[in-house]
């Protein structure tokens, strides 16, 4: 291992490999890797020879010039086997690159060129056949996009829709409404996670595709922009032109809403970022409904900062009021104290309506094999007892029923007697906006970890392993390491949630031994989850999920670092420090508008 990710899947995949039409194409692409390896192994010509010139052109991004060069050489020397080999190697290399970029038309053209030069080229023929088969199957995969949308796996739905369109551009019209639904869901995910740079960028993309989207989408766009600008108030200033264009776009978007205060707050933020303090102060005061008195020059900056703080607090209040409607409609229904049961292959789901029981059971059955595959462990496959799942109305009812407190959105228990599973229960609530895509796979990780723990750990005769920290186990030594259990579970949540936790990483990081020894959460729960997720991310860079599971079940000692390739505890501590420092600064989407101000806005400015 030693700092290099081993073979095996370290990143959890929401989309099952057998769902993607590119599965066979990418498998065939392994042949291209072999071809490329052969090409690399071929001794290069001299620096000014054909290969040397081609390598310089390709490395500098002059792909078209490289193609023209090798074509002209082949025309001039059609019987030279060395020139023909360079021609084939170059086009196979380009085909591989274009396959990775989903530039399938270009990939097909490169493969055609290879087959013209070398009709029996096995790698090119296999890839052409795989592309043709995937293209033929593409229409049938539209139903898979619908299923992913139903499961609220918006990133995976968008990814699959893009693959289908890239393979079959003629299907773009059929997929357009599905892509819009996926863009909206992904934007709402980041909005709910308070990743405002990302929600703004995704809502902006959606509005370019669907300018007629509902007024609530326009309002969330504006809230996202206001709070993203507020979070970056201390960043370098914007040019007046950039600030003006951003404000002009906001005015256009806000025409569809009834939120004048948002426009005033955004106007103040744009003016302040553009260096116009007086205009910013006036806009903030207008948003707050207070008079603006021009302070003395030396007091101007702190006075505007105080107004900005109060205006952003007003925007945060609007954020709480303008939420996505993910759990409206049928999700808000509950039949009194009546429980409806849905029995699936591995779960008995009890909910207050048949529809919700069915949706939850469907999501659980979707996630279970993917969680098992990712963790390298099978749980629940025909082994009693079945997992009982209770879906409560709301968080209050969940807390009353389970005693959960704090940030818990679910409580899962696995009761063990030795290595035997006595019972498994999962408790969630239907109003949870992350229920289908985040909470259920998160809890399934706890179920699988608890079962794997039972098989790895020399368990006492009777014990209860609790897969949430809400209820204490009977024997605190007989449970997986809490930080690893939670850190693994966070890896299967949507990208928006994972980014939210990275942003919660705080500067004072605990020592690795302290974090691994934690048996309960003391203090800031969000910070604990963020640190746990960061720790597992670091371990998965150096090992597999099975390695992490083994550590989760291992008794405390000082030798575990060697299993992950560290030469010493101090080397592990240094990597932990650097990883946390990097993770606290995740790359963010830019505040960039995709459309110019409308003609209506330009006319109003001219008047």
């Amino acid at each position: 291992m030693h700092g290099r990710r081993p073979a095996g899947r370290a990143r959890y995949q929401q989309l099952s490999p057998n769902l993607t039409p590119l599965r066979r194409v990418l498998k065939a692409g392994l042949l291209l890797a072999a071809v490329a390896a052969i090409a690399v192994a071929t001794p290069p010509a001299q620096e000014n020879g054909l290969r040397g010139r081609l390598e310089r052109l390709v490395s500098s991004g002059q792909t078209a010039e490289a193609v023209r060069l090798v074509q002209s050489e082949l025309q001039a020397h059609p019987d030279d086997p060395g020139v023909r080999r360079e021609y084939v190697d170059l086009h196979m290399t380009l085909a591989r690159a274009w396959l990775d970029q989903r530039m399938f038309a270009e990939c097909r053209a490169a493969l055609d060129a290879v087959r013209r030069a070398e009709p029996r080229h096995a790698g090119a023929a296999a890839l052409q056949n795989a592309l043709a088969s995937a293209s033929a199957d593409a229409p049938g995969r539209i139903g898979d996009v619908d299923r992913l949308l139903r499961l609220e796996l918006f990133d995976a739905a968008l990814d699959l829709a893009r693959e289908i369109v890239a393979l079959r551009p003629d299907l773009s019209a059929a997929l357009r409404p599905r892509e819009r639904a996926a863009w909206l869901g992904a934007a709402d995910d980041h909005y709910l996670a308070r990743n405002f740079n990302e929600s703004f960028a995704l809502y902006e993309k959606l509005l370019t595709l669907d300018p007629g989207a509902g007024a609530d989408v326009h309002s969330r766009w504006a809230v996202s922009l206001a709070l993203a600008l507020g979070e970056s108030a201390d960043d370098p200033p914007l040019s007046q032109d950039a600030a003006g264009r951003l404000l002009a776009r906001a005015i256009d978007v806000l025409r569809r809403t009834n939120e004048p205060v948002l426009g005033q707050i955004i106007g103040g933020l744009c003016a302040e970022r553009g260096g116009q303090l007086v205009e910013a102060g006036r806009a903030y005061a207008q948003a707050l409904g207070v008079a603006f008195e021009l302070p003395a020059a030396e007091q101007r900056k702190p006075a505007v900062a105080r107004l900005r703080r109060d205006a952003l607090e007003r925007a945060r209040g609007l954020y709480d009021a303008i939420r996505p409607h993910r759990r409206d409609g049928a999700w808000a229904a509950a039949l009194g104290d009546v429980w409806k049961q849905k029995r699936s292959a591995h779960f008995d789901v009890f909910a207050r309506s048949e529809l919700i029981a069915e949706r939850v059971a469907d999501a659980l059955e979707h996630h279970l094999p993917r969680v098992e595959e990712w963790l390298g462990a099978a749980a629940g496959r025909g082994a009693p007892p079945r997992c009982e799942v209770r879906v409560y109305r709301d968080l209050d009812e969940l807390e009353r029923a389970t005693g959960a407190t704090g940030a818990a959105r679910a409580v899962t228990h696995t009761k063990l007697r030795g290595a035997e599973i006595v019972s498994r229960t999962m408790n969630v609530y239907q109003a949870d906006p992350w229920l289908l895509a985040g909470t259920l796979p998160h809890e399934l990780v706890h179920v699988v970890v608890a079962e794997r723990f039972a098989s790895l750990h020399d368990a006492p005769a009777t014990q209860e392993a609790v897969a949430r920290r809400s209820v204490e186990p009977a024997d605190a030594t007989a449970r997986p390491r809490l930080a690893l259990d939670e850190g693994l579970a966070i890896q299967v949540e949507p990208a928006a949630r994972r980014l939210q936790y990275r942003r919660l990483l705080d500067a004072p990081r605990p020592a690795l031994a302290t974090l691994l020894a934690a048996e309960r959460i003391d203090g800031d729960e969000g910070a604990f989850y963020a640190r746990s997720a960061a720790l597992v991310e670091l371990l998965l860079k150096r090992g597999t999920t099975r390695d992490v599971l083994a550590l989760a079940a291992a008794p405390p000692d000082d030798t575990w670092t060697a299993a992950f390739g560290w030469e010493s505890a101090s080397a592990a501590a240094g990597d932990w420090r650097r990883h946390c420092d990097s993770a606290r600064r995740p790359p963010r989407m830019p505040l960039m508008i995709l459309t110019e101000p409308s003609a209506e806005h330009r006319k109003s400015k001219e008047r």
Side-chain angles (χ1 to χ4, degrees):
M1 290 178 279
H2 298 279
R4 183 171 54 86
R5 179 176 292 173
R9 180 177 297 171
R11 173 73 68 184
Y12 176 73
Q13 302 290 330
Q14 290 181 334
L15 180 61
S16 175
N18 63 10
L19 282 180
T20 170
L22 291 181
R23 179 62 174 173
R24 280 165 297 175
V25 176
L26 295 174
K27 184 177 181 180
L30 294 175
L31 293 171
L32 295 185
V35 170
I38 293 171
V40 170
T42 303
Q46 298 194 3
E47 184 176 351
N48 292 323
L50 178 57
R51 168 156 294 206
R53 287 182 289 162
L54 290 173
E55 287 177 349
R56 287 196 298 275
L57 288 170
V58 171
S59 64
S60 62
Q62 301 179 72
T63 304
E65 288 78 1
V67 171
R68 281 194 291 269
L69 173 60
V70 78
Q71 285 176 339
S72 66
E73 289 291 325
L74 186 61
Q75 289 171 356
H77 308 283
D79 298 324
D80 187 326
V83 172
R84 187 172 296 274
R85 185 184 66 243
E86 297 297 346
Y87 180 91
V88 169
D89 285 353
L90 174 64
H91 282 82
M92 288 298 287
T93 299
L94 294 175
R96 183 186 185 193
W98 285 329
L99 173 64
D100 290 343
Q101 298 169 43
R102 297 175 179 165
M103 298 169 62
F104 296 119
E106 293 83 352
C107 180
R108 290 184 179 102
L111 294 171
D112 288 343
V114 171
R115 296 294 297 280
R116 285 193 297 270
E118 194 175 319
R120 296 185 178 181
H121 193 285
L127 191 54
Q128 283 180 323
N129 291 336
L131 279 166
S133 179
S135 296
D137 290 347
R141 299 297 183 176
I142 295 176
D144 295 328
V145 177
D146 291 335
R147 174 169 169 75
L148 291 169
L149 290 172
R150 177 179 167 85
L151 292 166
E152 298 175 358
L153 296 171
F154 302 112
D155 294 322
L158 187 58
D159 191 50
L160 180 55
R162 285 168 161 175
E163 289 181 358
I164 294 171
V165 171
L167 281 165
R168 291 282 300 273
D170 57 303
L171 298 175
S172 59
L175 283 160
R176 198 167 294 127
R178 296 169 171 88
E179 287 184 293
R180 287 198 294 264
W183 281 111
L184 176 59
D188 285 345
D189 276 355
H190 283 286
Y191 187 86
L192 289 164
R194 297 178 179 265
N195 303 326
F196 296 118
N197 278 56
E198 287 67 27
S199 60
F200 167 78
L202 294 171
Y203 286 133
E204 171 71 2
K205 174 66 176 179
L206 174 63
L207 292 181
T208 64
L209 298 174
D210 185 15
D216 61 322
V217 176
H218 289 73
S219 294
R220 293 199 293 278
W221 178 99
V223 170
S224 298
L225 175 57
L227 293 176
L229 285 170
E231 289 177 352
S232 60
D234 296 327
D235 287 358
L238 295 171
S239 69
Q240 289 194 12
D241 177 67
R245 290 176 66 249
L246 198 56
L247 179 59
R249 173 65 173 150
I251 291 171
D252 279 344
V253 170
L254 286 166
R255 293 183 200 280
R256 293 291 310 275
T257 74
N258 187 28
E259 303 290 348
V261 170
L262 282 173
Q264 293 155 3
I265 294 172
I266 293 171
L269 290 163
C270 288
E272 188 176 3
R273 290 289 299 277
Q276 299 173 303
L277 282 181
V278 175
E279 290 80 354
R282 289 197 181 102
Y284 293 145
Q286 188 178 11
L288 295 168
V290 299
F292 177 68
E293 297 181 1
L294 185 64
E298 65 274 11
Q299 296 297 321
R300 204 162 290 170
K301 191 170 183 178
V304 170
R306 287 192 294 272
L307 287 170
R308 185 208 323 135
R309 180 197 60 205
D310 294 343
L312 287 173
E313 193 61 35
R314 182 85 182 269
R316 292 185 190 98
L318 291 171
Y319 165 83
D320 291 331
I322 305 172
R323 291 297 190 103
H325 304 297
R326 188 170 289 179
R327 293 294 175 258
D328 290 351
W331 281 102
L335 302 176
D337 292 328
V338 177
W339 290 96
K340 298 292 185 178
Q341 181 180 4
K342 172 65 178 180
R343 186 178 177 86
S344 67
H346 304 97
F347 303 93
D348 289 321
V349 180
F350 297 86
R352 297 303 172 80
S353 80
E354 291 179 357
L355 175 64
I356 291 173
E358 180 180 343
R359 292 286 298 273
V360 169
D362 188 35
L364 287 165
E365 293 294 349
H366 173 88
H367 290 296
L368 178 62
R370 291 155 184 81
V371 168
E372 290 176 343
E373 179 186 6
W374 180 63
L375 290 174
R381 296 288 177 176
R386 298 163 60 80
C387 185
E388 179 181 306
V389 182
R390 291 273 169 182
V391 187
Y392 294 94
R393 294 188 191 91
D394 52 33
L395 183 57
D396 287 343
E397 187 179 44
L398 172 74
E399 290 176 344
R400 289 195 302 271
T402 64
T405 58
R409 298 192 312 273
V411 178
T412 294
H413 296 268
T414 297
K415 188 174 182 180
L416 307 174
R417 183 177 295 113
E420 176 191 359
I421 298 174
V422 177
S423 65
R424 291 187 288 226
T425 60
M426 184 186 301
N427 301 274
V428 295
Y429 67 100
Q430 68 190 53
D432 177 6
W434 300 103
L435 177 61
L436 298 182
T439 303
L440 293 179
H442 182 118
E443 297 306 308
L444 283 172
V445 168
H446 292 318
V447 170
V448 176
V449 167
E451 182 166 339
R452 184 67 175 157
F453 174 80
S455 66
L456 291 174
H457 195 275
D458 185 15
T462 303
Q463 70 184 38
E464 183 182 56
V466 182
R468 290 295 274 180
R469 50 100 190 111
S470 309
V471 181
E472 289 299 319
D475 181 351
T477 65
R479 60 167 296 165
R481 295 178 191 256
L482 180 60
L484 297 182
D485 196 4
E486 292 296 345
L488 283 167
I490 288 169
Q491 305 307 311
V492 306
E493 295 204 46
R497 287 282 289 170
R498 298 197 306 272
L499 176 59
Q500 181 182 29
Y501 282 118
R502 293 190 79 178
R503 294 192 304 104
L504 290 175
L505 267 177
D506 51 358
R509 57 191 168 276
L512 284 171
T514 302
L515 185 56
L516 285 170
E519 296 178 359
R520 60 174 54 82
I521 301 174
D522 296 319
D524 188 339
E525 293 184 347
F528 179 84
Y529 291 136
R531 295 164 184 165
S532 300
L535 173 57
V536 170
E537 288 172 4
L538 175 62
L539 295 178
L540 289 178
K541 289 181 177 180
R542 305 181 65 89
T544 67
T545 51
R546 290 191 180 188
D547 296 326
V548 178
L549 283 171
L551 177 59
D557 60 40
D558 297 327
T559 64
W560 69 270
T561 54
F564 289 86
W566 282 298
E567 294 181 356
S568 65
S570 61
D575 276 358
W576 170 236
R577 181 183 66 254
R578 287 185 288 273
H579 179 74
C580 286
D581 291 343
S582 172
R584 276 200 301 274
R585 298 184 295 273
R588 305 296 302 277
M589 291 186 181
L591 296 179
M592 183 174 64
I593 58 174
L594 303 179
T595 60
E596 292 297 321
S598 66
E600 181 182 1
H601 177 80
R602 289 194 296 270
K603 288 177 182 176
S604 68
K605 292 290 284 184
E606 291 168 2
R607 291 195 294 267

